[in-house]
Amino acid sequence: MILRCALVDDEPLALSLLESYVRKTDSLELCGSYSSAIQAMKSLPEHPVDLLFLDIQMPELNGLEFSRMVSDNTRIFFTTAFEQYAIDGYRVNALDYLLKPISYNDFIEAVNKALQWFELRKKAETPDSVQTSLPTDSNHIYVKSDYKIVQIELDKILYIEGLKDYIKIYTEDNPRPILSLTSMKTMEEKLPSNRFIRVHRSYIVQKQKIKIIDKGRIVFGKEYIPVSDSYKQELQNYVNEHII
């Protein structure tokens, strides 16, 4: 598989380094190299790519802002000198971030991660592979995350958030969500309905983990999960069964 890629960085040396990395990587085809997000914004709609290496700190339009304008079909790796941007990367559904100075080994790991992501997406488009990607029993599920198959105990799941073609699984014992390439529909079908409830197009929650409902939203620490009108009655029925 060969991925079309583009680079955006306002630092000439950083841009030149990434260009050299791409040229010696057989699985990549360089389709654009831009010194600003403004340049990329004008070109990418007519010359779309699979993968975008995007600097965060740039004048006029920074990488985080520009990432929200990029096609859903393009996956993003942020390149940054500041580790704190990792959280923001997950918020805009980036595959990951590369910390400067970027070594070729780190670059290749990112490329391999992207290749795996596109291979998984291709498999996910085949119905049979979707149905077998999340084997379950009564106590746990298995999900594909990064390069691994991860076992998750059902008891530990707080809620699941769907964004685009990814899901994020939030658990009690992990400060960062587990990302997996699957759909909310598949996840909802695999989870036991007596334990989990869909409350929104983008959220599934574990019933027994619902401790606080505030103004129609489910509270998990500092996070407020919205409840949409189409799912509100089912949640209300569950609460009514247990209310005193």
Side-chain angles (χ1 to χ4, degrees):
M1 179 183 291
I2 297 178
L3 300 178
R4 297 165 299 164
C5 74
L7 316 171
V8 185
D9 200 310
D10 67 324
E11 298 176 9
L13 290 178
L15 196 60
S16 177
L17 179 67
L18 289 176
E19 289 172 354
S20 70
Y21 287 171
V22 172
R23 290 192 185 99
K24 62 180 179 180
T25 305
D26 292 338
S27 55
L28 294 180
E29 175 188 352
L30 184 59
C31 297
S33 184
Y34 309 101
S35 60
S36 74
I38 301 296
Q39 286 183 0
M41 182 175 63
K42 295 177 181 178
S43 177
L44 287 180
E46 295 181 2
H47 304 91
V49 295
D50 302 307
L51 194 58
L52 181 64
F53 291 90
L54 179 60
D55 187 24
I56 291 181
Q57 286 196 318
M58 293 184 289
E60 296 185 87
L61 182 66
N62 69 42
L64 288 171
E65 294 167 338
F66 177 57
S67 68
R68 296 180 175 92
M69 307 175 190
V70 174
S71 167
D72 290 345
N73 295 320
T74 299
R75 311 320 302 170
I76 294 172
F77 277 103
F78 283 118
T79 60
T80 176
F82 302 95
E83 195 168 359
Q84 69 265 26
Y85 284 119
I87 300 286
D88 294 315
Y90 278 112
R91 286 176 180 162
V92 296
N93 200 27
L95 277 182
D96 211 334
Y97 75 104
L98 290 167
L99 196 60
K100 295 179 179 180
I102 301 168
S103 69
Y104 186 60
N105 283 340
D106 290 339
F107 182 82
I108 283 296
E109 284 187 14
V111 172
N112 288 336
K113 185 173 185 177
L115 287 167
Q116 185 192 46
W117 188 93
F118 281 97
E119 288 169 358
L120 285 175
R121 187 177 72 170
K122 186 176 181 180
K123 291 178 182 178
E125 292 170 352
T126 305
D128 290 343
S129 66
V130 172
Q131 293 303 315
T132 58
S133 64
L134 292 171
T136 68
D137 65 18
S138 59
N139 299 313
H140 60 265
I141 58 173
Y142 290 97
V143 300
K144 293 179 180 178
S145 181
D146 291 337
Y147 301 98
K148 305 176 288 294
I149 295 177
V150 180
Q151 183 192 87
I152 304 174
E153 294 181 39
L154 293 180
D155 287 342
K156 299 290 182 65
I157 297 175
L158 295 173
Y159 63 95
I160 297 146
E161 179 184 5
L163 39 101
K164 299 179 183 177
D165 39 14
Y166 260 108
I167 61 168
K168 293 181 179 181
I169 304 172
Y170 292 83
T171 61
E172 293 178 326
D173 54 357
N174 194 337
R176 292 178 64 175
I178 298 167
L179 275 68
S180 181
L181 180 62
T182 191
S183 68
M184 288 289 281
K185 182 178 184 294
T186 297
M187 199 67 183
E188 185 177 19
E189 291 172 350
K190 292 295 181 179
L191 292 171
S193 59
N194 63 322
R195 299 182 63 174
F196 291 85
I197 183 172
R198 186 84 172 257
V199 298
H200 188 275
R201 178 173 57 87
S202 300
Y203 290 96
I204 298 171
V205 301
Q206 180 155 199
K207 295 176 181 178
Q208 292 187 349
K209 302 298 182 182
I210 300 173
K211 306 299 183 184
I212 301 173
I213 300 176
D214 181 19
K215 298 178 181 178
R217 297 176 299 173
I218 301 168
V219 182
F220 288 102
K222 295 181 180 179
E223 299 297 325
Y224 286 76
I225 307 303
V227 179
S228 64
D229 291 339
S230 56
Y231 296 101
K232 188 176 296 183
Q233 189 58 54
E234 187 177 356
L235 177 62
Q236 189 62 55
N237 292 343
Y238 169 73
V239 173
N240 289 341
E241 290 174 5
H242 299 84
I243 201 166
I244 299 175

mmCIF file of all heavy atoms in Angstrom, residues 128-149:
data_model
loop_
_atom_site.group_PDB
_atom_site.id
_atom_site.type_symbol
_atom_site.label_atom_id
_atom_site.label_comp_id
_atom_site.label_asym_id
_atom_site.label_seq_id
_atom_site.Cartn_x
_atom_site.Cartn_y
_atom_site.Cartn_z
ATOM 1 N N ASP A 128 -18.221 -8.968 7.022
ATOM 2 C CA ASP A 128 -17.802 -10.127 7.800
ATOM 3 C C ASP A 128 -16.686 -9.782 8.772
ATOM 4 O O ASP A 128 -16.666 -10.242 9.905
ATOM 5 C CB ASP A 128 -17.318 -11.257 6.877
ATOM 6 C CG ASP A 128 -18.460 -11.883 6.106
ATOM 7 O OD1 ASP A 128 -19.616 -11.668 6.518
ATOM 8 O OD2 ASP A 128 -18.198 -12.556 5.095
ATOM 9 N N SER A 129 -15.743 -8.933 8.336
ATOM 10 C CA SER A 129 -14.622 -8.593 9.206
ATOM 11 C C SER A 129 -15.065 -7.722 10.358
ATOM 12 O O SER A 129 -14.509 -7.773 11.446
ATOM 13 C CB SER A 129 -13.519 -7.887 8.417
ATOM 14 O OG SER A 129 -13.946 -6.633 7.948
ATOM 15 N N VAL A 130 -16.093 -6.900 10.132
ATOM 16 C CA VAL A 130 -16.603 -6.067 11.212
ATOM 17 C C VAL A 130 -17.217 -6.927 12.298
ATOM 18 O O VAL A 130 -17.007 -6.733 13.483
ATOM 19 C CB VAL A 130 -17.645 -5.067 10.678
ATOM 20 C CG1 VAL A 130 -18.325 -4.335 11.826
ATOM 21 C CG2 VAL A 130 -16.986 -4.070 9.741
ATOM 22 N N GLN A 131 -17.984 -7.923 11.890
ATOM 23 C CA GLN A 131 -18.688 -8.741 12.856
ATOM 24 C C GLN A 131 -17.743 -9.565 13.718
ATOM 25 O O GLN A 131 -18.080 -9.919 14.834
ATOM 26 C CB GLN A 131 -19.674 -9.675 12.134
ATOM 27 C CG GLN A 131 -20.816 -8.930 11.455
ATOM 28 C CD GLN A 131 -21.593 -8.082 12.435
ATOM 29 O OE1 GLN A 131 -21.926 -8.520 13.529
ATOM 30 N NE2 GLN A 131 -21.870 -6.843 12.059
ATOM 31 N N THR A 132 -16.548 -9.891 13.183
ATOM 32 C CA THR A 132 -15.641 -10.719 13.958
ATOM 33 C C THR A 132 -14.557 -9.906 14.643
ATOM 34 O O THR A 132 -13.693 -10.463 15.305
ATOM 35 C CB THR A 132 -14.954 -11.757 13.044
ATOM 36 O OG1 THR A 132 -14.255 -11.071 12.003
ATOM 37 C CG2 THR A 132 -15.982 -12.684 12.445
ATOM 38 N N SER A 133 -14.581 -8.604 14.512
ATOM 39 C CA SER A 133 -13.500 -7.789 15.061
ATOM 40 C C SER A 133 -13.642 -7.546 16.554
ATOM 41 O O SER A 133 -12.700 -7.119 17.195
ATOM 42 C CB SER A 133 -13.433 -6.442 14.338
ATOM 43 O OG SER A 133 -14.610 -5.704 14.556
ATOM 44 N N LEU A 134 -14.830 -7.821 17.111
ATOM 45 C CA LEU A 134 -15.043 -7.582 18.525
ATOM 46 C C LEU A 134 -15.633 -8.803 19.213
ATOM 47 O O LEU A 134 -16.779 -8.804 19.648
ATOM 48 C CB LEU A 134 -15.996 -6.385 18.726
ATOM 49 C CG LEU A 134 -15.469 -5.030 18.317
ATOM 50 C CD1 LEU A 134 -16.576 -4.004 18.376
ATOM 51 C CD2 LEU A 134 -14.325 -4.616 19.195
ATOM 52 N N PRO A 135 -14.875 -9.917 19.316
ATOM 53 C CA PRO A 135 -15.403 -11.076 20.005
ATOM 54 C C PRO A 135 -15.666 -10.744 21.470
ATOM 55 O O PRO A 135 -14.916 -10.018 22.105
ATOM 56 C CB PRO A 135 -14.282 -12.120 19.867
ATOM 57 C CG PRO A 135 -13.052 -11.329 19.617
ATOM 58 C CD PRO A 135 -13.483 -10.103 18.877
ATOM 59 N N THR A 136 -16.733 -11.271 22.026
ATOM 60 C CA THR A 136 -17.091 -10.946 23.399
ATOM 61 C C THR A 136 -17.426 -12.194 24.195
ATOM 62 O O THR A 136 -17.716 -13.254 23.644
ATOM 63 C CB THR A 136 -18.334 -10.026 23.445
ATOM 64 O OG1 THR A 136 -19.452 -10.782 23.001
ATOM 65 C CG2 THR A 136 -18.166 -8.815 22.564
ATOM 66 N N ASP A 137 -17.343 -12.088 25.515
ATOM 67 C CA ASP A 137 -18.009 -13.023 26.403
ATOM 68 C C ASP A 137 -18.690 -12.190 27.461
ATOM 69 O O ASP A 137 -18.829 -10.980 27.314
ATOM 70 C CB ASP A 137 -17.038 -14.071 26.971
ATOM 71 C CG ASP A 137 -15.966 -13.463 27.874
ATOM 72 O OD1 ASP A 137 -16.161 -12.318 28.328
ATOM 73 O OD2 ASP A 137 -14.956 -14.125 28.127
ATOM 74 N N SER A 138 -19.119 -12.780 28.541
ATOM 75 C CA SER A 138 -19.922 -12.038 29.510
ATOM 76 C C SER A 138 -19.105 -11.071 30.350
ATOM 77 O O SER A 138 -19.664 -10.232 31.057
ATOM 78 C CB SER A 138 -20.644 -13.030 30.429
ATOM 79 O OG SER A 138 -19.701 -13.842 31.107
ATOM 80 N N ASN A 139 -17.784 -11.164 30.320
ATOM 81 C CA ASN A 139 -16.952 -10.363 31.210
ATOM 82 C C ASN A 139 -16.081 -9.329 30.514
ATOM 83 O O ASN A 139 -15.663 -8.362 31.142
ATOM 84 C CB ASN A 139 -16.034 -11.283 32.033
ATOM 85 C CG ASN A 139 -16.814 -12.243 32.889
ATOM 86 O OD1 ASN A 139 -17.745 -11.848 33.572
ATOM 87 N ND2 ASN A 139 -16.454 -13.515 32.835
ATOM 88 N N HIS A 140 -15.781 -9.522 29.256
ATOM 89 C CA HIS A 140 -14.858 -8.603 28.599
ATOM 90 C C HIS A 140 -15.073 -8.599 27.089
ATOM 91 O O HIS A 140 -15.788 -9.441 26.543
ATOM 92 C CB HIS A 140 -13.399 -8.958 28.925
ATOM 93 C CG HIS A 140 -13.019 -10.343 28.492
ATOM 94 N ND1 HIS A 140 -13.076 -11.419 29.336
ATOM 95 C CD2 HIS A 140 -12.578 -10.815 27.300
ATOM 96 C CE1 HIS A 140 -12.681 -12.508 28.689
ATOM 97 N NE2 HIS A 140 -12.365 -12.164 27.450
ATOM 98 N N ILE A 141 -14.461 -7.631 26.451
ATOM 99 C CA ILE A 141 -14.435 -7.555 24.999
ATOM 100 C C ILE A 141 -12.981 -7.407 24.554
ATOM 101 O O ILE A 141 -12.103 -7.064 25.352
ATOM 102 C CB ILE A 141 -15.260 -6.366 24.448
ATOM 103 C CG1 ILE A 141 -14.736 -5.042 25.012
ATOM 104 C CG2 ILE A 141 -16.736 -6.546 24.739
ATOM 105 C CD1 ILE A 141 -15.380 -3.820 24.382
ATOM 106 N N TYR A 142 -12.732 -7.675 23.288
ATOM 107 C CA TYR A 142 -11.441 -7.415 22.679
ATOM 108 C C TYR A 142 -11.615 -6.356 21.601
ATOM 109 O O TYR A 142 -12.558 -6.426 20.804
ATOM 110 C CB TYR A 142 -10.857 -8.681 22.039
ATOM 111 C CG TYR A 142 -10.417 -9.727 23.023
ATOM 112 C CD1 TYR A 142 -11.261 -10.783 23.348
ATOM 113 C CD2 TYR A 142 -9.165 -9.673 23.615
ATOM 114 C CE1 TYR A 142 -10.869 -11.766 24.243
ATOM 115 C CE2 TYR A 142 -8.755 -10.641 24.519
ATOM 116 C CZ TYR A 142 -9.606 -11.688 24.823
ATOM 117 O OH TYR A 142 -9.212 -12.646 25.708
ATOM 118 N N VAL A 143 -10.729 -5.368 21.581
ATOM 119 C CA VAL A 143 -10.761 -4.357 20.532
ATOM 120 C C VAL A 143 -9.371 -4.206 19.937
ATOM 121 O O VAL A 143 -8.365 -4.426 20.612
ATOM 122 C CB VAL A 143 -11.257 -2.984 21.057
ATOM 123 C CG1 VAL A 143 -12.663 -3.092 21.611
ATOM 124 C CG2 VAL A 143 -10.313 -2.420 22.115
ATOM 125 N N LYS A 144 -9.329 -3.824 18.661
ATOM 126 C CA LYS A 144 -8.067 -3.520 18.007
ATOM 127 C C LYS A 144 -7.709 -2.079 18.288
ATOM 128 O O LYS A 144 -8.491 -1.177 18.006
ATOM 129 C CB LYS A 144 -8.177 -3.758 16.502
ATOM 130 C CG LYS A 144 -8.352 -5.220 16.122
ATOM 131 C CD LYS A 144 -8.478 -5.376 14.619
ATOM 132 C CE LYS A 144 -8.644 -6.834 14.236
ATOM 133 N NZ LYS A 144 -8.828 -7.016 12.777
ATOM 134 N N SER A 145 -6.535 -1.868 18.860
ATOM 135 C CA SER A 145 -6.087 -0.524 19.190
ATOM 136 C C SER A 145 -4.608 -0.407 18.875
ATOM 137 O O SER A 145 -3.795 -1.173 19.416
ATOM 138 C CB SER A 145 -6.338 -0.211 20.664
ATOM 139 O OG SER A 145 -5.930 1.090 20.993
ATOM 140 N N ASP A 146 -4.256 0.551 18.006
ATOM 141 C CA ASP A 146 -2.880 0.689 17.533
ATOM 142 C C ASP A 146 -2.423 -0.637 16.920
ATOM 143 O O ASP A 146 -3.059 -1.174 16.056
ATOM 144 C CB ASP A 146 -1.958 1.151 18.656
ATOM 145 C CG ASP A 146 -2.243 2.581 19.083
ATOM 146 O OD1 ASP A 146 -2.803 3.334 18.278
ATOM 147 O OD2 ASP A 146 -1.909 2.942 20.227
ATOM 148 N N TYR A 147 -1.330 -1.198 17.429
ATOM 149 C CA TYR A 147 -0.802 -2.436 16.870
ATOM 150 C C TYR A 147 -1.263 -3.662 17.652
ATOM 151 O O TYR A 147 -0.791 -4.764 17.385
ATOM 152 C CB TYR A 147 0.736 -2.404 16.884
ATOM 153 C CG TYR A 147 1.322 -1.269 16.102
ATOM 154 C CD1 TYR A 147 1.726 -0.103 16.741
ATOM 155 C CD2 TYR A 147 1.462 -1.352 14.727
ATOM 156 C CE1 TYR A 147 2.275 0.956 16.011
ATOM 157 C CE2 TYR A 147 2.001 -0.310 13.998
ATOM 158 C CZ TYR A 147 2.415 0.831 14.644
ATOM 159 O OH TYR A 147 2.942 1.871 13.935
ATOM 160 N N LYS A 148 -2.140 -3.477 18.602
ATOM 161 C CA LYS A 148 -2.467 -4.544 19.541
ATOM 162 C C LYS A 148 -3.943 -4.891 19.521
ATOM 163 O O LYS A 148 -4.776 -4.119 19.058
ATOM 164 C CB LYS A 148 -2.074 -4.109 20.963
ATOM 165 C CG LYS A 148 -0.627 -3.675 21.116
ATOM 166 C CD LYS A 148 -0.338 -3.167 22.517
ATOM 167 C CE LYS A 148 -0.979 -1.816 22.784
ATOM 168 N NZ LYS A 148 -0.419 -0.734 21.971
ATOM 169 N N ILE A 149 -4.242 -6.097 20.037
ATOM 170 C CA ILE A 149 -5.605 -6.453 20.395
ATOM 171 C C ILE A 149 -5.677 -6.357 21.913
ATOM 172 O O ILE A 149 -4.914 -7.016 22.637
ATOM 173 C CB ILE A 149 -5.968 -7.867 19.910
ATOM 174 C CG1 ILE A 149 -5.971 -7.909 18.382
ATOM 175 C CG2 ILE A 149 -7.324 -8.292 20.452
ATOM 176 C CD1 ILE A 149 -6.249 -9.272 17.803
#
